Amino acid sequence: MCLVMLALGQHPRYPLILAANRDEFHARPSAALHAWPDKPGILGGRDLEKGGSWLAASGRGALAVVTNVRDPARRVSGGPSRGDLVSDFLDDNAALAAHYVPSRCAPGLGYDGFNLIAVDHSGAWYGSNRGPVRPLHAGVHGLSNHLLDTDWPKVRRLRMAMHRVLDAGDPSPAGALIRALADRTAVPDEALPETGVPLEWERRLAPPFIVSADYGTRCSSIVLIDHDGLLTLIEHSFDPQGILTATRELSIQLERAPGPWTTAT
């Protein structure tokens, strides 16, 4: 994923809400949201080039999402796939987010820059191999291609949309969040982040939803977990012109609901 907004303990019906866009080169082969036939109990999209995932959930009550860190000056080539950070966590029934995230963010493992959020009954944890590792408390947390809660324009816009949904107590928040993820409004040059890529790329990458012939938003995803432990994953897929090509929705009853979330002190 390249844009993630996570609300923990903020909604009367859904103690966990996640809204995210996956941005990727259109030529990279991927499978849309499905139940993985070789790994029963896991739902998510799948990278067919390396085998991992950008966002997936498991019936054991685990959820993980990964984004890359945009830092051309510190690129690492030839390392393990960052998508494995998601699939390995879900595939290991003994893994706990509280232990897994710190272990994978340790130095010397060879990954290019990444952010990882993993959630299960041990809590929600964020980590990066370019920054801190910490638990996530009740609240709204935003992530793109820098460290958690970096105030990029796309993060700011999606955060505002999430707060509107939460403040309204919308009993069916998926539609409003999908519309927020579809925001293609250009960002003024003076508000662009400086991430080391050319100005034209900064402009292209700045909106929540990216449209270009070679690279752009491939899918928008919503994850909802209710108080009974029912997880629903919704995915909208798009072509290089940003036209909707498919909508998928899968649900799974979790063996153990994640959380509860504590309030930061």
Side-chain angles (χ1 to χ4, degrees):
M1 310 307 291
C2 288
L3 178 61
V4 179
M5 197 61 56
L6 177 66
L8 299 175
Q10 302 299 293
H11 189 275
R13 182 178 180 185
Y14 300 108
L16 184 149
I17 301 174
L18 183 146
N21 274 345
R22 181 200 181 210
D23 305 328
E24 181 56 89
F25 287 98
H26 292 291
R28 184 162 183 146
S30 302
L33 169 64
H34 65 291
W36 295 8
D38 58 329
K39 297 182 183 297
I42 296 181
L43 307 178
R46 208 161 189 184
D47 173 29
L48 298 181
E49 185 172 301
K50 297 291 186 178
S53 182
W54 52 93
L55 167 66
S58 166
R60 71 177 177 89
L63 169 72
V65 59
V66 68
T67 76
N68 68 304
V69 173
R70 193 190 311 155
D71 187 358
R74 298 177 62 189
R75 286 290 306 274
V76 176
S77 300
S81 170
R82 290 167 289 191
D84 290 343
L85 296 163
V86 171
S87 56
D88 288 353
F89 174 62
L90 298 177
D91 196 34
D92 184 352
N93 288 330
L96 289 178
H99 301 150
Y100 182 84
V101 174
S103 72
R104 289 302 181 100
C105 294
L109 298 182
Y111 292 100
D112 201 359
F114 70 82
N115 296 294
L116 174 65
I117 294 175
V119 181
D120 61 15
H121 69 271
S122 71
W125 281 78
Y126 160 77
S128 173
N129 62 348
R130 299 290 175 80
V133 175
R134 65 180 180 87
L136 297 181
H137 301 285
V140 177
H141 308 275
L143 181 63
S144 186
N145 301 117
H146 201 262
L147 302 181
L148 187 74
D149 291 324
T150 298
D151 194 33
W152 283 4
K154 63 169 61 181
V155 175
R156 192 180 315 128
R157 289 181 186 176
L158 188 55
R159 183 187 300 278
M160 292 172 61
M162 179 68 82
H163 277 293
R164 286 194 297 270
V165 166
L166 297 173
D167 291 345
D170 188 343
S172 302
L177 292 172
I178 284 288
R179 290 190 293 273
L181 290 167
D183 182 358
R184 309 179 188 193
T185 308
V187 175
D189 285 358
E190 62 270 18
L192 292 172
E194 297 182 7
T195 64
V197 300
L199 176 60
E200 183 55 40
W201 268 96
E202 295 286 16
R203 290 169 174 159
R204 185 185 302 186
L205 300 175
F209 193 102
I210 299 167
V211 179
S212 73
D214 54 349
Y215 180 92
T217 299
R218 300 274 301 269
C219 66
S220 297
S221 301
I222 305 294
V223 179
L224 304 169
I225 300 179
D226 69 15
H227 287 287
D228 295 323
L230 180 68
L231 181 148
T232 301
L233 209 167
I234 301 163
E235 181 183 274
H236 288 203
S237 300
F238 303 92
D239 68 12
Q241 289 74 47
I243 297 172
L244 180 68
T245 58
T247 299
R248 298 171 181 83
E249 180 174 332
L250 294 175
S251 296
I252 189 169
Q253 184 64 48
L254 303 180
E255 297 171 7
R256 190 169 182 178
W261 326 113
T262 58
T263 302
T265 56

